[in-house]
Amino acid sequence: MIDRCFFGVIPALNFIGRQNSGKTTLLEKLIAELCSRGLRVGTVKHHSHAGFEMDVAGKDSWRHVQAGSRYTVVAAPDKIGSVRQLTGELPVEQILAEMSAAARDASGAPTLDVVLVEGYRSSSLPSVELVRAANPADAARSLDLSGARCVAVVTDIERIAVQAAQAGLPTFGFEQIAALADFIAASLKESAF
């Protein structure tokens, strides 16, 4: 089940797997499914390489960052975005705490029901492990439950599904989006979020 990992406010669930295991594709479908059910979903994507850009070269906010701004916010009537320069990577728990503080309505109530996190293998968050047959990095590996707080597995490899079942973990196929969404919704209800 999904714990109250978001400092008691908003639950978070981490999706982990090797590169090309299908995390982003699965999350795109899962986000759409959860939103269609009326859940308010936030996301955090771990980018393990320095230097990614959120803004388009030449746009005003990009120009601010290039000029030396350490924290740039773009605010419009319908959305807000920010770029903040860091001296080191923040733990996902700190990012979630900052999201929790920011994701509030005028009365202070949370505006998110759940945050889906992609790619923080070493975090303390409950995790869904993805292992895909078509991924060469996954083809011969076994399910490794050390370190991660695995609560479910998504796979299309029979031996991985068997290992997950032996560990008492729910297992889903990559196309079982509705069933995975059911698991998340039930976990949220059972945890009284």
Side-chain angles (χ1 to χ4, degrees):
M1 291 298 136
I2 303 170
D3 294 337
R4 290 181 187 230
C5 304
F6 206 113
F7 298 91
V9 180
I10 303 170
L13 181 61
N14 192 16
F15 289 77
I16 57 176
R18 301 221 170 129
Q19 183 177 8
N20 297 319
S21 63
K23 296 180 299 292
T24 301
T25 301
L26 180 86
L27 281 175
E28 285 177 312
K29 294 174 184 178
L30 185 57
I31 292 163
E33 177 67 23
L34 292 170
C35 289
S36 76
R37 296 174 182 214
L39 288 171
R40 301 167 303 169
V41 179
T43 60
V44 175
K45 163 71 173 142
H46 186 234
H47 184 77
S48 60
H49 307 289
F52 80 95
E53 293 294 331
M54 281 182 47
D55 205 357
V56 177
K59 292 290 188 178
D60 293 351
S61 57
W62 179 87
R63 292 169 60 193
H64 293 187
V65 171
Q66 296 308 304
S69 174
R70 302 287 300 156
Y71 201 140
T72 302
V73 175
V74 179
D78 62 338
K79 60 184 168 182
I80 190 168
S82 67
V83 176
R84 181 169 132 197
Q85 304 299 315
L86 302 172
T87 56
E89 186 171 0
L90 298 177
V92 69
E93 293 82 2
Q94 182 176 344
I95 295 166
L96 293 171
E98 290 178 11
M99 280 181 77
S100 179
R104 305 258 171 207
D105 65 18
S107 70
T111 58
L112 296 174
D113 297 312
V114 65
V115 175
L116 304 180
V117 177
E118 181 182 339
Y120 280 90
R121 179 170 290 282
S122 62
S123 80
S124 63
L125 298 173
S127 298
V128 175
E129 178 86 23
L130 281 70
V131 185
R132 179 182 286 284
N135 185 7
D138 284 341
R141 82 179 185 103
S142 294
L143 189 60
D144 179 12
L145 299 175
S146 63
R149 289 182 47 211
C150 191
V151 298
V153 174
V154 175
T155 190
D156 57 357
I157 302 173
E158 183 62 30
R159 68 183 160 68
I160 298 294
V162 168
Q163 290 174 341
Q166 290 171 342
L169 296 172
T171 304
F172 304 93
F174 282 91
E175 297 306 319
Q176 292 181 296
I177 303 303
L180 183 55
D182 290 342
F183 167 75
I184 292 170
S187 296
L188 293 172
K189 282 184 180 177
E190 291 174 16
S191 298
F193 291 112

